[in-house]
Amino acid sequence: MLRSGQPLTGPNRKRCHEDEMLLGSVLEERERGFVIDTRSAQAAKQARMTGGGTEPKSSYPQWKRLHQPLERGRPLQESFIKLVEACNDASLGMDRWLARLESCRWLSHVKAALSTACLAAQCVDREQASVLVHGAEGTDTTLLVTALAQVILDPACRTLAGFQGLLEREWIQAGHPFHLRCARSAYSHARLKQEAPLFLLFLDCVWQLSRQFPFSLEFGEGLLLTLFDNAYASNYGTFLCNNEKERCLCKVKESTHSLWAWLDQPEEKKKYLNPLYSPNPLAIWPSVEPQSIQLWQGLFFRWIRSSQYLDEAWAEMRRLVE
């Protein structure tokens, strides 16, 4: 599985022989690969007018392009804000709540992300094919898809240490702009152009996997909530800045502590482990049927509904397992 930004073909359909050789070297003579573009065909076509574009079939004859459009900007942020507002509106009756939940379209974004990740994973696992995933810059929906596909396919990414490594590799080092995307919370009245909860969408999708496969992930919901909190406001430097270059210029590693080092302390680590975990060497294929995608109540209701009894149940479950 490969990831990249969009090819810069532009309106004149320029070629890059180095790119063509690079992708050609991935495949044997009669093998085929898939390019999963997380933009719509129309958006990818429009991108040519500003210098971007897609891989021309004539230049990449062994690669088949598939468009799986995922929201990455303002629509996703507005969906997040509308969902939080609906969750905090105590005056809603059942009909109005269900209508508000549907109109915000957050669960549709979750379904689309999981569906695209499953497509990428199936190409690798069942077609035995190479896959290139990209959107525009390759630092938003691209990372969402590649990271989720690895959780689905790779048992190592479903361990606590493996999941931390996945986040470091696929989100932090790959250049997801946390400073821009997580600049404000959903409660802010500011509407910043660059803000979008892509990382939250990823965490929500992982929660969906953990709910459908409760024995297959070594970590529980508590870790996902902690990661969400630290992406928006943190005592640690792990999610600071927009890319590795900025972190080097700001000397983040020298002047801040690492979230991973804190989580790996024995007493802290114990809090985040799933007591029901049983290593599963197989891929986990989630259902994306409407009945299977649920609202992440542990996150979206956490400020309006006490989790005391659920926490006590988890503590008792952990005690029984030990």
Side-chain angles (χ1 to χ4, degrees):
M1 185 175 294
L2 312 169
R3 52 173 162 75
S4 72
Q6 64 181 327
L8 304 180
T9 55
N12 296 324
R13 296 181 178 270
K14 293 180 291 185
R15 295 180 60 178
C16 178
H17 295 289
E18 290 81 3
D19 281 357
E20 295 168 17
M21 290 176 60
L22 182 63
L23 287 189
S25 68
V26 174
L27 306 177
E28 299 293 339
E29 184 175 348
R30 294 187 178 181
E31 285 184 336
R32 64 171 183 167
F34 294 93
V35 176
I36 297 180
D37 195 324
T38 60
R39 304 165 296 176
S40 66
Q42 183 63 27
K45 185 176 181 180
Q46 290 175 348
R48 286 210 304 265
M49 304 309 296
T50 55
T54 58
E55 294 80 1
K57 291 182 180 180
S58 59
S59 302
Y60 299 88
Q62 291 178 268
W63 294 84
K64 181 179 180 180
R65 189 170 70 249
L66 306 172
H67 288 279
Q68 293 289 120
L70 298 175
E71 293 289 357
R72 57 181 285 271
R74 180 62 67 81
L76 189 62
Q77 178 67 8
E78 290 296 332
S79 175
F80 176 38
I81 292 170
K82 289 178 181 178
L83 176 57
V84 170
E85 289 175 348
C87 290
N88 285 277
D89 189 345
S91 67
L92 294 178
M94 178 61 75
D95 291 342
R96 287 187 61 204
W97 157 249
L98 292 175
R100 289 274 293 273
L101 179 61
E102 182 178 4
S103 66
C104 74
R105 300 193 67 249
W106 180 260
L107 296 183
S108 297
H109 297 312
V110 173
K111 178 185 184 298
L114 283 172
S115 298
T116 305
C118 284
L119 175 63
Q122 286 171 351
C123 290
V124 172
D125 184 66
R126 297 179 179 176
E127 299 290 332
Q128 299 294 303
S130 296
V131 176
L132 169 65
V133 182
H134 72 66
E137 291 82 11
T139 56
D140 289 297
T141 51
T142 300
L143 308 183
L144 172 66
V145 172
T146 57
L148 279 176
Q150 289 176 69
V151 175
I152 291 169
L153 290 175
D154 189 356
C157 292
R158 303 195 286 265
T159 66
L160 183 59
F163 191 65
Q164 290 179 15
L166 176 75
L167 297 181
E168 184 70 30
R169 179 178 69 251
E170 295 298 317
W171 287 92
I172 297 171
Q173 294 180 4
H176 180 65
F178 282 97
H179 179 68
L180 289 174
R181 300 293 184 260
C182 304
R184 299 282 192 275
S185 74
Y187 293 95
S188 172
H189 294 293
R191 296 291 192 267
L192 302 183
K193 185 178 180 181
Q194 298 289 335
E195 194 166 12
L198 268 304
F199 187 63
L200 168 59
L201 182 59
F202 167 72
L203 296 177
D204 197 329
C205 290
V206 175
W207 179 82
Q208 304 288 338
L209 290 172
S210 72
R211 193 189 60 78
Q212 293 189 30
F213 300 92
F215 306 111
S216 296
L217 276 67
E218 189 185 21
F219 50 89
E221 180 184 58
L223 176 68
L224 303 178
L225 293 173
T226 297
L227 291 169
F228 165 74
D229 291 340
N230 281 272
Y232 280 87
S234 180
N235 293 324
Y236 304 91
T238 303
F239 296 116
L240 288 180
C241 304
N242 292 312
N243 51 53
E244 203 64 22
K245 179 181 179 181
E246 287 187 11
R247 280 185 281 274
C248 289
L249 291 174
C250 295
K251 297 183 178 180
V252 168
K253 290 183 179 180
E254 293 83 358
S255 57
T256 68
H257 295 286
S258 168
L259 175 64
W260 310 136
W262 176 65
L263 291 176
D264 287 338
Q265 295 178 99
E267 284 304 309
E268 289 298 325
K269 184 176 180 180
K270 186 178 179 181
K271 299 177 185 177
Y272 300 107
L273 294 177
N274 175 11
L276 301 177
Y277 175 63
S278 177
N280 179 4
L282 304 175
I284 54 175
W285 299 104
S287 168
V288 293
E289 294 299 318
Q291 301 89 335
S292 301
I293 306 297
Q294 293 190 9
L295 181 66
W296 185 6
Q297 298 183 32
L299 173 65
F300 294 110
F301 292 159
R302 66 191 297 201
W303 293 284
I304 59 174
R305 194 171 68 187
S306 173
S307 63
Q308 174 189 349
Y309 299 117
L310 188 59
D311 294 339
E312 290 175 354
W314 274 104
E316 178 65 12
M317 197 181 303
R318 188 176 292 110
R319 187 189 68 80
L320 291 171
V321 170
E322 290 174 351

